[in-house]
Amino acid sequence: MILVSFGIGGIPEYDDSFQKAIFDWVDSGKTLAVTTQVPEEGCDLQVYQVGKKYSDYPGILQAGDMTTEAIVAKIMWVLGQTDDREKIQAMFEKVINLDRQEDIY
């Protein structure tokens, strides 16, 4: 799943139910890529408090400055190669054909 965050990486907090739903879903073995609705900024979950708890959570990938189209293609390719969480993370973060700027994030 691709979650489009606010700004550079704000994930809304209404109560603990939204965070619990995301963590439970990811803990069930599914992969989540977080991007932003602001393509000029990129996504960095470390910037704001509302994103930090998601930034290093296993199974949650940060898309950085990738476009949504690049994320979809890359996730489909990665998940076709492996279902190992560590390999998914490594393959998603590897720059392929300039799909993201490697020195920003």
Side-chain angles (χ1 to χ4, degrees):
M1 176 170 59
I2 299 172
L3 177 65
V4 181
S5 67
F6 297 125
I8 197 166
I11 297 175
E13 285 188 0
Y14 302 111
D15 56 27
D16 289 342
S17 64
F18 194 66
Q19 175 185 328
K20 182 178 178 346
I22 290 173
F23 287 173
D24 287 351
W25 191 80
V26 171
D27 289 343
S28 74
K30 296 177 176 66
T31 301
L32 173 69
V34 180
T35 189
T36 177
Q37 61 184 344
V38 186
E40 294 82 21
E41 293 182 7
C43 182
D44 184 354
L45 294 173
Q46 288 286 329
V47 173
Y48 298 115
Q49 187 65 33
V50 293
K52 286 184 182 182
K53 62 186 97 182
Y54 300 92
S55 66
D56 294 321
Y57 200 86
I60 297 179
L61 308 171
Q62 291 190 63
D65 63 346
M66 294 174 68
T67 64
T68 302
E69 295 81 5
I71 297 166
V72 169
K74 194 165 195 178
I75 288 286
M76 290 185 344
W77 175 75
V78 168
L79 293 177
Q81 306 298 312
T82 185
D83 60 359
D84 179 85
R85 184 167 277 174
E86 290 179 14
K87 289 180 183 177
I88 291 169
Q89 180 95 27
M91 292 173 77
F92 186 77
E93 291 176 353
K94 181 177 172 52
V95 177
I96 298 175
N97 199 27
L98 304 172
D99 61 353
R100 65 167 62 211
Q101 293 182 24
E102 59 188 315
D103 60 342
I104 290 180
Y105 304 100

